Amino acid sequence: MNDVEEALRRTFARAEARIPATPPDLLRQVTEGRTRRGRRGLVLATAMATCLVIWAAAALTWRAPHPSPAVTATPAPRLHEPRIHEPRIVEKIAPPLEQALPSVVAEVPRTAPNGEAFTPKLFVDPRTMLGYVAKKGYDPAPELWIYQLESRTFRRLTVVGYPIAPVDSPAAGEGVIVWFEYVGRNIRIMAIPATGGTPLEVVAFPAELEVDEANGDMIYGVDLAVGDGRIFWSSTRSGGVNQVPVTGGKPSPVPGTKGLRLFSWPWAGRPLDGPGAMANLLNLSTGERLDDPAQAECHVTWCVTDSQAIRRDGGQVLDLPGDNPRSIVADRFVTLSQTDKQGRKASVIYDLATARAGRLWMQNDRKASTTLYISTEMIYFKRGDKWAVIHDPDR
């Protein structure tokens, strides 16, 4: 080995020693949707997950302009360790989704009347979808639109002044739609009537941040909910639920919610390691608290293990017709993988309310699966020029 080779060897060895280890919960951090701002502008990170699933979580962060840092892991408690077992073999792959579960599937155009992309965000009511409309790349004036499923018509509600936070933060109820914006190092909660109008500031307060002189400060966002005549929010960093009247006024903390984050109105809980996983659920309207069964991941009514779905009250147990159950959506839907005797594989949705499964698509090892977007209340994916949206029409 000559002197040049030896110098290169030492240089690479030193560089390798400085490379940080990959955090064990890196996927969880990515799926929490951290949003950063670099020197070149604003960049949205809307929860990119593995080849199948994207979890559209509400946790947002933003960095002040500085070079992008390495991701650092934040330890979190694990809910349970999945057991390793042979794949379950089903007699027959589930029938197509619309054939098995027609009432829970809605189609929404992917393009608004102004020609820009329409992205589903939440249901204002069972037949009205709220979406975000923006140009590709950075859009200084994004908009909120609604789509009526029955009349198949769009309507623009408002122009949003700041483009980052509203993408993942809207909430609706009590006749209003709310979201939050980053303004400097503050968070500003905005509201409009559900029928549309000019955004009004409800409350503003300093954002939680981590000071990082080398890489730029990390600014944390909030989760939002509306109910009982009030707007609720919780920090995506430290938790703790706060409230303010829908009409505005002095904010106040909700007693007994230290460390809790909003989950699905009226529930708040303690975050666990995993997309949307919560424990110690508290009903903000009634004060009811729910116990957590061991070795299970729970929503409000249902819990899932590696092989079963169980009602919290023990009144019903369902054997899951597949493997790899993921987080429960809308307290009734679970995504699974199925394998039949011929070795064919499929991605399916299992409906706990009806104990029926519907096939999303057949899996092909030589072709990437369609991206599946998952939030607390709905599942959606691209299908041609439409969004196929799976939701509970009764919620």
Side-chain angles (χ1 to χ4, degrees):
M1 179 180 296
N2 58 36
D3 293 342
V4 173
E5 292 173 329
E6 175 61 23
L8 287 172
R9 185 192 66 77
R10 291 196 301 269
T11 298
F12 287 133
R14 288 194 298 270
E16 181 180 13
R18 290 195 296 269
I19 297 175
T22 301
D25 63 346
L26 179 58
L27 176 60
R28 176 183 63 81
Q29 294 189 42
V30 175
T31 56
E32 285 183 349
R34 291 191 170 186
T35 306
R36 295 180 174 82
R37 180 183 233 177
R39 291 184 182 274
R40 297 181 183 272
L42 302 175
V43 181
L44 176 67
T46 52
M48 294 299 174
T50 54
C51 62
L52 176 61
V53 179
I54 289 186
W55 181 274
L60 295 175
T61 56
W62 178 83
R63 278 196 182 275
H66 278 288
S68 298
V71 176
T72 303
T74 301
R78 293 199 63 82
L79 186 64
H80 66 280
E81 295 292 341
R83 292 170 293 177
I84 299 175
H85 56 75
E86 293 296 321
R88 296 181 184 87
I89 304 300
V90 298
E91 290 292 328
K92 189 177 182 180
I93 295 291
L97 185 63
E98 274 90 351
Q99 179 181 330
L101 301 167
S103 66
V104 305
V105 184
E107 281 197 335
V108 178
R110 290 173 52 198
T111 305
N114 65 355
E116 306 298 345
F118 177 85
T119 303
K121 287 300 155 193
L122 58 85
F123 279 91
V124 177
D125 60 53
R127 307 305 295 170
T128 307
M129 165 68 71
L130 175 70
Y132 185 78
V133 174
K135 298 175 182 178
K136 290 184 178 180
Y138 176 76
D139 187 343
E143 301 173 344
L144 293 178
W145 289 60
I146 57 171
Y147 179 75
Q148 299 285 352
L149 298 182
E150 293 180 348
S151 63
R152 300 182 181 179
T153 57
F154 279 99
R155 185 160 59 85
R156 186 174 72 91
L157 297 181
T158 194
V159 177
V160 178
Y162 290 78
I164 290 186
V167 173
D168 281 324
S169 70
E174 304 290 317
V176 299
I177 295 169
V178 301
W179 65 92
F180 75 90
E181 300 174 346
Y182 295 115
V183 183
R185 295 193 175 189
N186 292 327
I187 284 176
R188 185 167 66 182
I189 295 178
M190 310 295 292
I192 58 171
T195 54
T198 302
L200 298 176
E201 178 182 306
V202 178
V203 66
F205 48 88
E208 284 197 63
L209 36 113
E210 289 181 5
V211 177
D212 187 339
E213 295 180 358
N215 300 306
D217 297 346
M218 183 76 77
I219 303 177
Y220 288 81
V222 295
D223 310 300
L224 286 167
V226 187
D228 294 344
R230 292 168 289 171
I231 298 169
F232 297 85
W233 69 92
S234 58
S235 166
T236 61
R237 181 190 187 192
S238 62
V241 181
N242 294 275
Q243 60 187 345
V244 69
V246 168
T247 55
K250 185 178 179 180
S252 61
V254 178
T257 63
K258 183 179 180 180
L260 302 187
R261 283 180 56 180
L262 292 169
F263 176 49
S264 177
W265 176 256
W267 299 92
R270 196 168 304 281
L272 294 170
D273 186 21
M278 292 274 186
N280 307 124
L281 291 184
L282 168 67
N283 188 312
L284 298 177
S285 289
T286 66
E288 178 187 6
R289 292 182 182 271
L290 300 181
D291 295 328
D292 300 299
Q295 302 298 310
E297 181 175 324
C298 298
H299 206 283
V300 176
T301 304
W302 286 95
C303 300
V304 293
T305 66
D306 295 327
S307 60
Q308 292 182 320
I310 308 162
R311 290 183 67 95
R312 277 185 182 268
D313 60 9
Q316 188 176 9
V317 178
L318 299 173
D319 290 328
L320 297 176
D323 291 304
N324 305 317
R326 294 176 177 84
S327 299
I328 304 171
V329 175
D331 211 8
R332 70 180 280 184
F333 304 115
V334 181
T335 57
L336 300 171
S337 298
Q338 283 190 337
T339 304
D340 67 8
K341 293 180 179 179
Q342 287 73 44
R344 295 178 300 179
K345 298 179 180 180
S347 296
V348 305
I349 297 292
Y350 186 57
D351 182 9
L352 301 176
T354 62
R356 300 183 68 182
R359 185 177 74 242
L360 290 168
W361 46 71
M362 299 300 296
Q363 296 177 7
N364 186 336
D365 293 337
R366 295 183 296 275
K367 183 179 178 182
S369 296
T370 302
T371 300
L372 199 62
Y373 299 83
I374 301 180
S375 72
T376 306
E377 299 297 330
M378 66 183 184
I379 302 169
Y380 56 106
F381 58 93
K382 296 175 182 179
R383 187 166 60 187
D385 62 352
K386 300 286 197 302
W387 290 104
V389 183
I390 302 162
H391 72 114
D392 186 342
D394 300 322
R395 286 173 74 90

